Amino acid sequence: MAAIFTVREKTTRRYTAVLKDETGAVVGSGALSSLKLTLYNKADSSIINTRNQQNVLNANGVTVDASGNLTWTMEPADNPIVDATLSYEEHVALFEIGWSSDAKKNNHEVIIRVENVNKIT
């Protein structure tokens, strides 16, 4: 089950997690061969902020340290309201993790509950 992370529309926020392998052991930056992010609106699967399997291995606002601590500094463009008639909507951030030259993979998913703030432009 994915964690739920709440943000206000068009704000800068920091999301953190720990990356783990299939056994639950931490996967640090030195072991990673790839890290991709797909960000989409849960209701209609539309991609948000062109983050469609985007390389985020210490790039594009995402860092991972040697202890597997992932930090994503979300940009305002990462959390827009797609349907302005809703008071909130759910977006999904899917991190695809690869190590051992991508022979091994796991993923980390988080539901982002975006709160609609009236009059935000």
Side-chain angles (χ1 to χ4, degrees), residues 6-93:
T6 301
V7 301
R8 290 172 62 85
E9 171 188 10
K10 294 185 181 176
T11 58
T12 302
R13 287 294 307 267
R14 180 173 289 174
Y15 173 76
T16 61
V18 177
L19 301 180
K20 297 185 178 182
D21 69 11
E22 75 280 8
T23 68
V26 170
V27 179
S29 59
L32 290 174
S33 48
S34 66
L35 180 62
K36 297 176 185 173
L37 170 60
T38 300
L39 178 63
Y40 62 95
N41 182 19
K42 188 174 180 181
D44 65 6
S45 297
S46 61
I47 298 296
I48 297 171
N49 198 18
T50 66
R51 292 192 185 266
N52 188 8
Q53 293 191 330
Q54 182 182 45
N55 172 30
V56 293
L57 182 53
N58 293 319
N60 296 307
V62 179
T63 60
V64 180
D65 68 16
S67 299
N69 296 305
L70 175 141
T71 301
W72 174 26
T73 302
M74 298 172 69
E75 304 169 2
D78 288 326
N79 52 49
I81 287 291
V82 177
D83 183 348
T85 65
L86 300 174
S87 60
Y88 73 91
E89 62 190 22
E90 292 183 341
H91 299 169
V92 179

